[in-house]
Amino acid sequence: MGLVRLTAGARDMSKAREAAADTGVWPLLRRERTWGPWRLGIALATAAAATWCYLIGEYEGYYLNFFQGSLALTAGSMIGMLLVLLAAGPTCIRFGIESVASTKPQFGSRGWVIPALMQLLSIIGWNAMLLIFFAKSLTQLLGVLGWLPAGVGALQLVPFTTMIACAIVLLVLLWGASGVTHLSNILVAHVFVGFWMLYLLVSQRWPELVAARPALAKPDAVWNYTTGVEIGVTSLLSWWAYIGALIRMAPDGRRIAVPVMLGMGLPVPLLSLIGVAGILVLKNSDPSAWLSTVGGHLYAVVGLSFVAAANFGTAIAGIYASAIGLRNFRRLNDLPWLVVLLVTIMPVAFLGAFVPELVFNHFGTILALIGVCFAPLCGIQIADYYVLRHRRIDIRAIYETQPGCRYYFWGGFNPAAIVATVVGVALYAYLLNPLTYESHGPYRFLTASLPTTLVSGLVHVLLTRLLVIPARQGDYPDRARSQT
Amino acid sequence: MNDRSGTPATREQLHPELERRIAALEAGPDAGSDFDARSWLWLVLLGVVGPAALLLWGWFG
């Protein structure tokens, strides 16, 4: 009897430990990583499919017509997805860790705070915008239903709905990763509603769509086309912040390539076509604004409901990824999950409630700043993993923090990665000014993100071989020693 | 301090639960695998060949 109780007690403790594991930053073991390819694909598609797609499409439609815009955006998005997956994917999937922890071999046992800040700012920016979009859609839905009191508009409702949205996100995420997957199974329907909205617009306005000319297109056709690709690459680079927390729930790298590329990479450009078509034909990328015109009252209600709900899927995945990333800070790792969630959500709630228009009106800048930050990061991670370390990562060293540990470098920071990041940011800003979209040099042939990724990786390799490896820092394989 | 091979002379004391997880990963079966040849084929197809084809179609089509 006593043995049975002891066994049951040990089993309960083990279950509780495994249930808590997905709300922590420590590596997940294979048996805790229960998402198969379908489940992973659905969770990723739900995270990807949100109203930012319409904004991405809007920017695409400023420079390219529907045909070229569709192809350039899809191509750019798939390239961006590949870079993100190659950068963070291998380390995250092998050891069940999230994106920020995967940067410790490159940035150092303290230097990881640099990518952690990038992740936090990116997720706060994106999710504040999504929740504002949610509030606007909800206002329009209430207007269509005739439930909006006279004199009340989006401006008055945004702070209120943002707070409600944050509260719902918080409640769902108390379940950790299972909260993400349960909601994903419902909200994935949004992807199909999105395709239905695209079908509506394309089928009813095809002649106008084909004839439409982009409003801000420059006389230089190459520049327009390259910018179309750049928008795709940059948009998908922002998935770096999300990808680790989600793919670590899958047990095996051999089964994630297709779900990630098709589940996370493809829905964004496909749903962005709604925005491209909307801005070209109706001069408005937001389907919640034009659905009643195109499809009537019923279509507007169905569409708006899903548009509003869809942002939850992404916001939930984003807040989850960011909260897990913040767990890398030792003090936050010791706090209850609820407190970490509150710390993550509060900046989003603040922006959405108090300065919503500021965030909403600077979408292009947020997009470009993401490219500025994540392109160098991807280049450094890819070069470090494949070229310098030959795929050898020490999981124990990722969690060591004391001076002299293997990823300590100098003072916990790796100057090679930091210099490569600075060079990358400077190069990106030179090639494409993120604030003015003014471009220089080979941008019109190469984009800004791709050369930035390449050059950052090269600088990291060069400095590591010249400085870090000779100083026997960073636990890099010594080429000379391994050849003898 | 690191020795000449870059391995710390003394192992850092980690939280027991973290130590248990790392030991399980180091043992092998609990770790996930990297991309295999089939994954690389998909990655090249969806991330390089496909986009290149789309770009050529968009420009010349």
Side-chain angles (χ1 to χ4, degrees):
Chain A
M1 196 65 181
L3 186 65
V4 172
R5 262 193 214 147
L6 199 67
T7 312
R11 202 168 47 230
D12 288 347
M13 196 189 292
S14 171
K15 275 186 181 171
R17 200 159 52 191
E18 286 173 15
D22 65 3
T23 62
V25 75
W26 290 342
L28 294 180
L29 302 180
R30 203 179 175 90
R31 62 178 170 278
E32 296 164 342
R33 300 156 68 180
T34 52
W35 291 9
W38 277 105
R39 202 166 165 189
L40 178 66
I42 287 172
L44 294 173
T46 310
T51 43
W52 53 26
C53 296
Y54 313 139
L55 290 171
I56 292 167
E58 177 181 328
Y59 274 72
E60 191 78 9
Y62 285 153
Y63 302 105
L64 293 170
N65 62 36
F66 188 69
F67 174 70
Q68 281 200 319
S70 312
L71 296 174
L73 186 61
T74 307
S77 299
M78 298 307 278
I79 295 168
M81 191 72 254
L82 178 70
L83 292 176
V84 167
L85 184 56
L86 292 182
T91 310
C92 294
I93 196 74
R94 280 174 61 190
F95 303 115
I97 59 175
E98 51 70 60
S99 301
V100 172
S102 78
T103 64
K104 290 180 185 179
Q106 296 88 45
F107 284 82
S109 58
R110 289 181 183 157
W112 57 266
V113 296
I114 298 166
L117 279 175
M118 290 180 192
Q119 184 200 45
L120 187 64
L121 292 176
S122 153
I123 288 181
I124 287 173
W126 273 121
N127 286 287
M129 196 147 50
L130 288 183
L131 293 178
I132 295 162
F133 223 130
F134 162 79
K136 291 191 170 190
S137 301
L138 190 65
T139 313
Q140 282 158 346
L141 179 62
L142 294 175
V144 169
L145 292 169
W147 294 350
L148 203 62
V152 177
L155 210 60
Q156 289 79 23
L157 271 185
V158 164
F160 179 67
T161 46
T162 302
M163 291 299 176
I164 291 183
C166 287
I168 295 172
V169 169
L170 185 80
L171 287 174
V172 171
L173 282 180
L174 286 176
W175 279 291
S178 52
V180 178
T181 188
H182 288 327
L183 208 75
S184 299
N185 292 339
I186 303 165
L187 294 182
V188 74
H190 162 73
V191 179
F192 300 101
V193 174
F195 292 144
W196 166 73
M197 292 193 290
L198 179 64
Y199 168 75
L200 269 183
L201 190 57
V202 170
S203 61
Q204 294 190 15
R205 303 291 181 102
W206 181 250
E208 292 165 69
L209 190 56
V210 174
R213 292 285 166 261
L216 301 180
K218 293 193 176 185
D220 184 351
V222 178
W223 190 95
N224 294 329
Y225 200 52
T226 303
T227 301
V229 178
E230 173 66 20
I231 290 171
V233 177
T234 310
S235 304
L236 270 290
L237 284 180
S238 65
W239 290 130
W240 183 92
Y242 292 72
I243 196 166
L246 296 173
I247 64 169
R248 78 176 190 147
M249 296 305 298
D252 202 331
R254 286 174 295 194
R255 297 165 74 194
I256 66 160
V258 175
V260 171
M261 293 301 289
L262 296 183
M264 200 171 213
L266 206 52
V268 172
L270 292 183
L271 289 176
S272 296
L273 298 186
I274 300 167
V276 180
I279 198 71
L280 283 169
V281 174
L282 302 165
K283 308 301 171 205
N284 193 336
S285 65
D286 180 5
S288 55
W290 50 252
L291 262 175
S292 55
T293 319
V294 173
H297 188 78
L298 179 66
Y299 280 10
V301 173
V302 174
L304 282 167
S305 308
F306 276 94
V307 167
N311 289 335
F312 276 118
T314 310
I316 283 166
I319 300 294
Y320 174 70
S322 189
I324 295 284
L326 282 177
R327 286 280 207 192
N328 282 290
F329 291 96
R330 187 168 278 184
R331 287 192 180 178
L332 287 172
N333 195 31
D334 296 336
L335 292 174
W337 178 234
L338 174 65
V339 178
V340 180
L341 284 177
L342 279 171
V343 169
T344 316
I345 284 178
M346 274 193 303
V348 177
F350 175 81
L351 288 175
F354 297 108
V355 283
E357 291 305 315
L358 183 74
V359 177
F360 203 74
N361 293 336
H362 289 86
F363 174 76
T365 307
I366 292 173
L367 201 63
L369 287 174
I370 285 167
V372 167
C373 293
F374 288 122
L377 183 53
C378 287
I380 290 166
Q381 278 202 295
I382 292 169
D384 193 81
Y385 183 77
Y386 291 103
V387 179
L388 293 169
R389 295 191 187 277
H390 309 297
R391 307 181 184 201
R392 194 176 65 86
I393 296 287
D394 190 323
I395 182 62
R396 182 175 294 279
I398 285 179
Y399 289 93
E400 289 173 338
T401 54
Q402 289 176 2
C405 66
R406 279 164 286 186
Y407 299 150
Y408 189 72
F409 298 95
W410 288 274
F413 293 85
N414 180 9
I418 293 170
V419 171
T421 305
V422 172
V423 169
V425 168
L427 177 66
Y428 190 105
Y430 167 71
L431 290 170
L432 181 68
N433 186 319
L435 302 175
T436 62
Y437 260 55
E438 193 183 329
S439 64
H440 295 99
Y443 168 79
R444 66 189 289 266
F445 298 109
L446 298 176
T447 73
S449 298
L450 298 182
T452 299
T453 305
L454 181 68
V455 169
S456 300
L458 288 175
V459 170
H460 180 67
V461 169
L462 195 69
L463 290 178
T464 302
R465 291 216 165 128
L466 289 176
L467 176 76
V468 181
I469 293 176
R472 296 192 184 283
Q473 297 294 327
D475 196 34
Y476 286 98
D478 189 329
R479 280 198 308 170
R481 204 169 50 229
S482 62
Q483 280 166 4
T484 53
Chain B
M1 278 292 125
N2 291 357
D3 64 18
R4 282 184 62 78
S5 65
T7 309
T10 54
R11 183 176 273 194
E12 184 175 331
Q13 190 82 26
L14 300 172
H15 186 286
E17 174 59 15
L18 178 57
E19 179 61 46
R20 183 184 75 85
R21 288 174 177 277
I22 289 174
L25 287 167
E26 285 173 337
D30 259 310
S33 55
D34 206 336
F35 302 128
D36 61 357
R38 195 172 173 172
S39 301
W40 277 108
L41 185 70
W42 278 112
L43 290 175
V44 170
L45 207 62
L46 294 171
V48 181
V49 178
L54 290 177
L55 287 175
L56 290 173
W57 184 21
W59 188 250
F60 295 108

